[in-house]
Amino acid sequence: MLTGKALGEAIREAIRRKGVSQVEVADHFGVKPPSVQDWLNRGVIAKEKLPELWSYFSDVCTPAYWGLFLRDPSRAEETNTAPGPSIRGKAPIISWIQAGEPHEAIAASDIEGWVETTVPVRADSTFALRVKGDSMEPDFPEGVIIVVEKELEPHPGDYVIVRSGATERTEATFKQLVRDGDDLYLKPLNDRYPIKPLGTAQIVGVVREMVKKFR
């Protein structure tokens, strides 16, 4: 999960998205406004307040926005994960080609498996993908599963699934949506890969959370 200054900047952006003031945030969390300012400047917030932070901004920020991972239940010894909300449903895992095709619903024949999620699942618009390659490392290493919501409005800073055209049968891609002035770009997290303009590419959906899988 995000820490330090990265967490502070994420909180600042979350406040902007939600359209609330720092005073309103302070009132909600039962702290004084200078404490919220400290969150923004240094990213220092009590651990016990983190679940409430994620919940308070859940209408405008997905778990993936905060860099959250779900622990693989088969590896109970893992401790470098953050606590999260309860399991809310299951999402179908599909291929990157299927994600890149224009379709209204996911056919049973397209489903490669299922993954549990902590976010509400919509049968007609939520799906999951297994990350391929290293373009989104280190935050999204190859093999982790990302849960995607097609009906969520994308904002700069979100991680998005994108397809290059309206009809081509090509694999979807996974990048971070960023803004520079009036223009939107698709940014890989691995510096070895170039940032590209969004251009005419279509955003398929927004990543809502990650499920960490261990080999």
Side-chain angles (χ1 to χ4, degrees):
M1 60 166 287
L2 298 179
T3 58
K5 291 185 177 180
L7 176 59
E9 289 302 315
I11 296 173
R12 188 185 304 277
E13 171 62 16
I15 290 174
R16 185 196 67 78
R17 291 186 185 185
K18 196 174 180 69
V20 294
S21 67
Q22 293 182 32
V23 173
E24 289 174 303
V25 173
D27 288 344
H28 176 84
F29 286 89
V31 299
K32 296 185 180 299
S35 294
V36 175
Q37 190 62 42
D38 204 37
W39 297 356
L40 304 182
N41 292 338
R42 301 171 55 207
V44 177
I45 179 173
K47 288 184 179 180
E48 61 269 17
K49 292 190 181 295
L50 287 174
E52 177 61 20
L53 179 77
W54 304 328
S55 175
Y56 180 65
F57 291 109
S58 62
D59 56 332
V60 292
C61 299
T62 69
Y65 174 86
W66 304 105
L68 296 179
F69 283 89
L70 286 179
R71 184 173 60 185
D72 185 335
S74 67
R75 290 292 297 271
E77 71 273 17
E78 289 292 333
T79 59
N80 61 339
T81 55
S86 301
I87 298 299
R88 303 288 296 276
K90 291 184 178 182
I93 303 172
I94 63 174
S95 72
W96 288 89
I97 289 180
Q98 290 296 334
E101 289 187 337
H103 52 72
E104 297 300 323
I106 298 170
S109 59
D110 297 335
I111 298 173
E112 300 179 357
W114 296 83
V115 62
E116 292 182 331
T117 78
T118 68
V119 293
V121 172
R122 299 182 182 182
D124 59 344
S125 62
T126 307
F127 61 90
L129 295 164
R130 195 182 304 274
V131 172
K132 297 169 58 178
D134 62 353
S135 67
M136 295 299 283
E137 289 186 351
D139 291 2
F140 300 86
E142 186 169 17
V144 299
I145 293 175
I146 50 177
V147 179
V148 181
E149 173 56 57
K150 294 197 297 183
E151 299 299 326
L152 199 62
E153 180 181 358
H155 296 277
D158 285 340
Y159 300 106
V160 296
I161 306 303
V162 179
R163 59 185 173 92
S164 59
T167 59
E168 299 98 323
R169 183 178 173 82
T170 58
E171 289 191 352
T173 59
F174 170 38
K175 297 293 182 287
Q176 185 179 29
L177 183 68
V178 297
R179 181 186 296 278
D180 185 3
D182 294 331
D183 299 318
L184 293 172
Y185 294 84
L186 298 172
K187 176 186 176 183
L189 300 184
N190 188 333
D191 291 338
R192 292 175 50 220
Y193 296 87
I195 298 175
K196 297 182 179 180
L198 176 63
T200 59
Q202 180 179 352
I203 295 176
V204 174
V206 176
V207 176
R208 301 198 65 186
E209 68 177 335
M210 300 172 286
V211 181
K212 191 171 184 180
K213 288 292 181 181
F214 299 86
R215 294 179 180 179

